[in-house]
Amino acid sequence: MRLMSVVRKGAPRRAPRLSGGVDFAEPSRAIPTDRILIGDCVEQLASLPPHSVDMVFADPPYNLQLQGELKRPDDSRVDAVDDAWDQFESFEAYDAFTRAWLLAVKRVMKPNATIWVIGSYHNIFRVGALMQDLGFWILNDVVWRKSNPMPNFRGRRFTNAHETMIWAARDPGAKGYQFNYEALKGGNEDVQVRSDWLLPICTGGERLKDAQGRKLHPTQKPEALLARVMLSASKPGDVVLDPFLGSGTSAAVAKRLRRHFVGVERDETYAAAAAARIDAIEPLPEAALVAPPSAREAPRVAFSALVDSGLVTPGLELTDAKGHVRAVVRADGTIALVNAATLAVGSIHRMGALAQGAEACNGWTFWHVEQEGRRHPIDVLRARLRAEMGIRSEE
């Protein structure tokens, strides 16, 4: 992979694509995808077209404020983050830096794009406050619980065993942002995915090393963390921006998951190592990345369509999950409550609400049908009809 050299006025020279190329179609956007831009992130982002990226992952300097060397009880030195890029002369200077890159990122985000920012207690609260000041809308804070954190050597604080990620939409009231709820739930044994993620820190063969065998980048993130972020909030073909690319974890994961990437990194040593790392990545087969359609994307199916298809027959008895409430399916796709004080006929939703004395009800999950001695929600039949509709549309 060849890199885009820095141009101080913010207008990067045209650079070749990844060596070997990426074997999926280039999106029809005037944006230099699958490239690393070398230079200051604010200057480089100014060269990108507005509203051109689908997701942002930002791992900015944490401003750790380390003073002096950090040592273990045996007096050996801890390889802590003491690089110049993590040092700011004051909180005010750090806030000005944060505000500048957030504004630059917001300009290139599509209206339905989302942003993930990771940090520690040193900076994440300042970043979050500035994000709100700038009009971002926080959707979640996600805690990355480290299964193998660095111990607290001085013994004067709790072991710092987590980092926090802020997930936010570009603007308040944003609609249509990507969240792969069904796929995440399906991969979590049909249980909603929580906002605390237990994952190990980057170790072993995944950790990039320099010529002396030392870790190349002090804050390299694990690929598993980035994979979960992208599988949660993007889809194949999307453009993922990382304004602080570092060792290139986000770009490597993006390529593997068939997303496009744009990375910005001012350190040429990090950028070169990231480029070599990305070149070695092979995208996963498309079949391994096809996500099930969300409930909003799935074709609308009325209950009467189940009757018309024969999956539900007039006269069939429906019950609630425990079999206490009963209703009979009518030929026109409405249902009638059984043993109601007065004749009650209506939609599966209205009759479900009436049976519970509630204002509203999702009839697809409230009403059940008995098959082979077990009760199943009628939503199972709707899913079967949708699958059949998909097969017929391909014939």
Side-chain angles (χ1 to χ4, degrees):
M1 174 179 181
R2 295 178 65 182
L3 313 178
M4 297 188 75
S5 302
V6 61
V7 177
R8 293 300 175 187
K9 294 184 179 180
R13 295 194 296 262
R14 185 179 183 276
R17 293 177 51 79
L18 281 165
S19 60
V22 178
D23 62 350
F24 48 95
E26 176 77 2
S28 56
R29 301 177 176 87
I31 180 171
T33 57
D34 307 323
R35 291 163 171 79
I36 299 176
L37 312 179
I38 301 178
D40 175 79
C41 69
V42 175
E43 292 179 358
Q44 293 300 315
L45 291 177
S47 70
L48 301 181
H51 305 158
S52 56
V53 303
D54 300 287
M55 197 197 88
V56 179
F57 179 82
D59 185 6
Y62 286 10
N63 192 25
L64 295 181
Q65 310 138 42
L66 291 181
Q67 298 176 355
E69 290 188 344
L70 181 61
K71 293 187 176 182
R72 299 181 179 87
D74 64 2
D75 207 39
S76 61
R77 182 178 180 274
V78 176
D79 189 11
V81 182
D82 56 3
D83 302 79
W85 50 258
D86 192 61
Q87 297 172 1
F88 294 81
E89 62 184 25
S90 64
F91 285 126
E92 290 76 14
Y94 185 79
D95 290 349
F97 160 77
T98 301
R99 182 183 180 86
W101 75 256
L102 281 171
L103 284 171
V105 162
K106 190 170 188 179
R107 186 187 71 85
V108 299
M109 291 173 65
K110 293 180 180 178
N112 63 343
T114 59
I115 178 173
W116 296 74
V117 184
I118 189 168
S120 69
Y121 67 87
H122 302 87
N123 72 322
I124 197 64
F125 303 109
R126 307 186 76 87
V127 173
L130 283 166
M131 291 178 73
Q132 290 180 316
D133 289 346
L134 295 176
F136 291 93
W137 187 256
I138 295 178
L139 301 169
N140 275 113
D141 64 326
V142 177
V143 175
W144 167 29
R145 294 172 51 215
K146 302 175 183 179
S147 59
N148 53 342
M150 180 184 294
N152 183 268
F153 295 108
R154 293 176 178 172
R156 298 192 177 189
R157 302 183 184 183
F158 296 107
T159 297
N160 187 23
H162 77 278
E163 293 184 30
T164 300
M165 292 186 291
I166 295 173
W167 181 41
R170 184 182 184 275
D171 303 291
K175 297 180 180 179
Y177 59 84
Q178 190 75 25
F179 180 52
N180 302 318
Y181 172 81
E182 286 81 5
L184 292 170
K185 186 177 179 182
N188 195 43
E189 299 184 358
D190 292 323
V191 177
Q192 289 184 347
V193 175
R194 292 159 44 120
S195 62
D196 54 334
W197 299 355
L198 181 63
L199 296 166
I201 63 174
C202 182
T203 58
E206 186 180 319
R207 170 72 75 170
L208 299 189
K209 302 292 181 61
D210 62 15
Q212 287 72 44
R214 299 171 301 191
K215 59 184 180 182
L216 180 75
H217 195 289
T219 64
Q220 181 178 338
K221 297 300 183 289
E223 292 187 7
L225 180 69
L226 271 295
R228 188 171 296 187
V229 166
M230 292 186 201
L231 290 171
S232 299
S234 69
K235 61 184 184 300
D238 278 355
V239 176
V240 178
L241 168 68
D242 187 337
F244 308 99
L245 188 65
S247 60
T249 302
S250 63
V253 172
K255 184 180 176 184
R256 179 173 288 118
L257 298 180
R258 291 181 175 269
R259 277 72 168 161
H260 294 279
F261 67 86
V262 177
V264 184
E265 176 53 51
R266 70 180 187 181
D267 187 297
E268 295 189 15
T269 300
Y270 292 160
R277 177 185 185 185
I278 296 163
D279 275 342
I281 296 294
E282 289 294 330
L284 290 172
E286 291 185 13
L289 296 171
V290 176
S294 68
R296 293 180 179 180
E297 295 171 335
R300 184 180 181 278
V301 172
F303 182 68
S304 59
L306 271 64
V307 177
D308 295 339
S309 68
L311 289 175
V312 171
T313 57
L316 179 70
E317 184 176 84
L318 306 180
T319 69
D320 66 340
K322 296 182 178 179
H324 296 161
V325 180
R326 295 184 296 156
V328 174
V329 177
R330 291 161 45 93
D332 59 3
T334 60
I335 62 174
L337 290 182
V338 177
N339 296 331
T342 58
L343 180 64
V345 176
S347 70
I348 56 173
H349 309 297
R350 181 179 295 180
M351 293 301 98
L354 180 62
Q356 300 174 87
E359 292 185 2
C361 169
N362 182 350
W364 292 108
T365 55
F366 177 76
W367 294 108
H368 288 61
V369 60
E370 186 170 324
Q371 294 178 334
E372 299 177 354
R374 295 182 59 187
R375 293 190 182 92
H376 302 275
I378 58 175
D379 201 26
V380 172
L381 301 179
R382 178 171 65 163
R384 186 184 305 173
L385 181 58
R386 279 174 169 162
E388 292 178 356
M389 292 168 61
I391 292 171
R392 287 198 296 268
S393 67
E394 294 176 1
E395 293 176 348

